[in-house]
Amino acid sequence: MNTSQTDTTFTKEDGAILEEVMNIAFGKASSELATVVDLRILLNAPKVEFLQADDLLRWIKQDTADNDTLNMIEQNFWGKYTGSAFLAFPTSASKGLVSLFEDDDLPPMDEENPLLVKENLLEIGNILIGACVSKVAELLDDEVTFSPPRLIPRMVVDNLANEARLDPDKVAILIKTVFHIQDKDIKGFLFLVAGEESMAWLKTALQNFMAKF
Amino acid sequence: MILNQILDTIDIGLVILDKDFKVRYWNRWMAMHSGIAFQEIKGVSIFEFYPHLKNKKLLRNFKAVINLGNHYFFPQKLYGYLFPFRPESNFVKDINHMQQSCTMGPLRDDEKVIQYAYISVKDVTEAYIYETNLASALLTLLEKYVEKNDMPAEEAQSILDELLPTSGGEVMAKHSKPPKDKDTHAVIGDQLVDILSEIASGNR
């Protein structure tokens, strides 16, 4: 594919196709997650936005404003589709998330052992992010690799813009979904942010996807 | 052929497992450190040689790799090691096993269907020893400062919060209930010693 000659401007139709691709991918991810973690994880129909980095943080903030502090898991992925995923959930939901794997053969979760708590949150984030991103990549005929996830604990929502180091001039594709772990009644947000470098490929990949139907 | 040379000469362990956990590839690094030749382990379940790997966490994440295409990371700080190998250096004291940072990821066939999972094993023993020594030295130093009233306990705590691999709040929560019959300096001294022993015993 010669991406240098591809028009990278995203139209409304491209956005609609991307939303549809995400919808299918997240549906697959949701059903396959059940086989891995033995939980029903619902992923809402995703919303796609094309924003500048500055607006992006404002958008995240607007969605998470009901919470004073968030735990955020950040994980980068790269392939032809390259970007960062952010899983954000209220700090108060951490306890519920940590308890998801309490049946492990490991000693019972010591809530005061920050390393174990952190590891469990990272594992959940890794599984959720990995499932969603891999399924999107699979649908678009790509393969992605992941960096280890990082936990940004107790991020004050009001400070989001100050703490993130994003290039304000860069345009990003933002995909947002709400995840809901039914049995535990835990809700949070998943944001996928892809930079300009993925746009040319993504536009062509979406056209190729539609050409199959 | 060149690829085989690379895989056998890189300073990293590489294992490839099929969906039934049978070993399909075991590079020279793994053979050298485990003492198990590729021919011996080839086609055999990894659990026959390393039964401790058969735990819920690994099985769950193996499934996530095979079914979802995920990657999973085994950080040294939590696991210490996956494969119980001797440290490479003959001069390492107090550490019985090579400290490892491992990654598990999917491998696809020509039709892009995931057929295998790889596990890469990186020896991080030296970095671990260095980090532990550095943390020990820092804690000893902070303890002295606090004891001599050269530094407020809160400042020492804040340095620890910044540098140790947990968030500040978490360290505080763990160590912030001083018995009323001790003064603050004695308490922070105790806390530092506790943290130091945890690091020394490899719990951090």
Side-chain angles (χ1 to χ4, degrees), chain A residues 32 103 105 119 123 126 130, chain B residues 56-57 61 67 71-72 78:
Chain A
E32 289 196 22
D103 61 336
D105 325 281
E119 165 57 19
E123 184 181 348
N126 190 45
Chain B
K56 281 186 181 168
K57 207 174 183 65
N61 285 289
N67 294 0
H71 283 65
Y72 183 66
L78 186 73

Side-chain angles (χ1 to χ4, degrees), chain B residues 76-94:
Chain B
Q76 178 278 329
K77 282 191 174 66
L78 186 73
Y79 290 87
Y81 56 86
L82 263 195
F83 296 94
F85 299 157
R86 284 188 56 204
E88 202 165 53
S89 169
N90 293 309
F91 299 98
V92 170
K93 289 176 187 169
D94 307 323

Side-chain angles (χ1 to χ4, degrees), chain B residues 151-201:
Chain B
M151 180 186 278
E154 296 72 26
E155 197 178 322
Q157 182 69 59
S158 137
I159 293 171
L160 291 176
D161 294 346
E162 190 71 29
L163 294 176
L164 293 178
T166 51
S167 86
E170 286 157 347
V171 172
M172 291 294 274
K174 192 170 181 185
H175 298 280
S176 67
K177 290 172 186 164
K180 282 179 182 168
D181 57 345
K182 278 191 174 186
D183 69 50
T184 316
H185 293 149
V187 169
I188 192 83
D190 290 347
Q191 290 171 359
L192 289 168
V193 170
D194 285 348
I195 295 170
L196 180 56
S197 353
E198 277 186 34
I199 288 178
S201 64

Side-chain angles (χ1 to χ4, degrees), chain A residues 17-133:
Chain A
I17 300 169
L18 184 58
E19 244 171 36
E20 190 50 36
V21 167
M22 294 289 165
N23 207 6
I24 298 169
F26 287 7
K28 282 186 170 195
S30 179
S31 68
E32 289 196 22
L33 273 167
T35 67
V36 172
V37 290
D38 203 18
L39 286 167
R40 284 201 64 192
I41 301 177
L42 301 178
L43 295 157
N44 277 15
K47 288 252 179 260
V48 176
E49 293 275 341
F50 299 93
L51 300 166
Q52 291 209 305
D54 264 4
D55 296 329
L56 186 154
L57 289 169
R58 226 168 287 140
W59 216 62
I60 293 179
K61 202 171 138 180
Q62 166 195 312
D63 272 318
T64 52
D66 289 347
N67 310 287
D68 289 339
T69 60
L70 295 171
N71 277 341
M72 203 178 265
I73 292 165
E74 177 194 29
Q75 189 164 25
N76 294 336
F77 54 91
W78 72 93
K80 291 171 194 154
Y81 178 44
T82 293
S84 303
F86 303 94
L87 193 75
F89 48 89
T91 306
S92 54
S94 299
K95 206 172 170 183
L97 281 169
V98 165
S99 69
L100 292 180
F101 298 149
E102 257 174 358
D103 61 336
D104 276 0
D105 325 281
L106 295 167
M109 185 60 61
D110 176 1
E111 281 174 21
E112 290 197 357
N113 186 334
L115 197 59
L116 277 181
V117 170
K118 181 180 167 186
E119 165 57 19
N120 260 23
L121 291 178
L122 285 176
E123 184 181 348
I124 293 155
N126 190 45
I127 289 178
L128 255 171
I129 291 171
C132 293
V133 175

